[in-house]
């Protein structure tokens, strides 16, 4: 899919509304519209990388920072007892939106 038609590119640019939790020059985080946990946040690099399968060696720093960003957001939203981080990769992996994103889920015991 061309990035002009990508749902998450439209959220990043503000053309589609979202409940933004965090934004810096490289990442946006917003709440999942169909949450599968009491807290369900998607952390999305602004760079349009379709999937984990499309990560190149030059993206290694960005992807490391994506996890670092998720850890900081988890702390900010109060997930002090733990949480899940996950990538769905490709159709068989359950990926629906082909703009790489990290699922941050938690809050079950609150
Ligand atoms: P995945 O299956 O890993 O591609 O995850 C895509 C996620 O995006 C799903 O959990 C959807 O609920 C979520 N989603 C789809 N559209 C939106 C939207 N407009 N705003 C926020 N989350 C969305």
């Amino acid at each position: 899919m061309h990035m002009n038609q990508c749902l998450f590119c439209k959220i990043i640019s503000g053309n589609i509304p979202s409940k933004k939790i965090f934004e810096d020059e490289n990442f946006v985080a917003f709440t999942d519209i169909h949450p599968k946990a009491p807290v369900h946040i998607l952390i999305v690099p602004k760079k349009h990388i379709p999937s984990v399968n499309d990560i190149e060696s030059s993206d290694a720093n960005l992807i490391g920072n994506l996890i670092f960003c998720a850890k900081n957001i988890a702390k900010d939203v109060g997930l002090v007892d733990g949480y899940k981080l996950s990538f769905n990769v490709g159709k068989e992996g359950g990926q629906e939106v082909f703009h790489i994103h990290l699922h941050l889920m938690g809050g079950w015991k609150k």
Side-chain angles (χ1 to χ4, degrees), residues 45-104:
K46 291 184 175 177
K47 180 179 179 185
H48 181 84
I49 301 169
S51 163
V52 164
N53 280 335
D54 301 296
I55 295 170
E56 297 180 353
S57 60
S58 58
D59 297 316
N61 205 36
L62 182 73
I63 299 305
N65 283 331
L66 174 62
I67 298 170
F68 185 69
C69 187
K71 178 211 64 158
N72 289 335
I73 291 168
K75 189 178 178 200
D76 287 349
V77 301
L79 296 175
V80 291
D81 291 328
Y83 48 88
K84 289 185 194 293
L85 293 177
S86 64
F87 291 102
N88 295 330
V89 186
K91 285 208 172 90
E92 207 167 318
Q95 187 175 1
E96 292 172 358
V97 178
F98 282 77
H99 182 131
I100 197 168
H101 51 280
L102 184 54
H103 293 259
L104 165 61

Side-chain angles (χ1 to χ4, degrees), residues 7-8 31-34 36 42 88 94-97 101 103:
L7 174 65
F8 286 175
T31 57
D32 196 293
I33 205 164
H34 299 302
K36 285 121 200 138
L42 302 174
N88 295 330
Q95 187 175 1
E96 292 172 358
V97 178
H101 51 280
H103 293 259

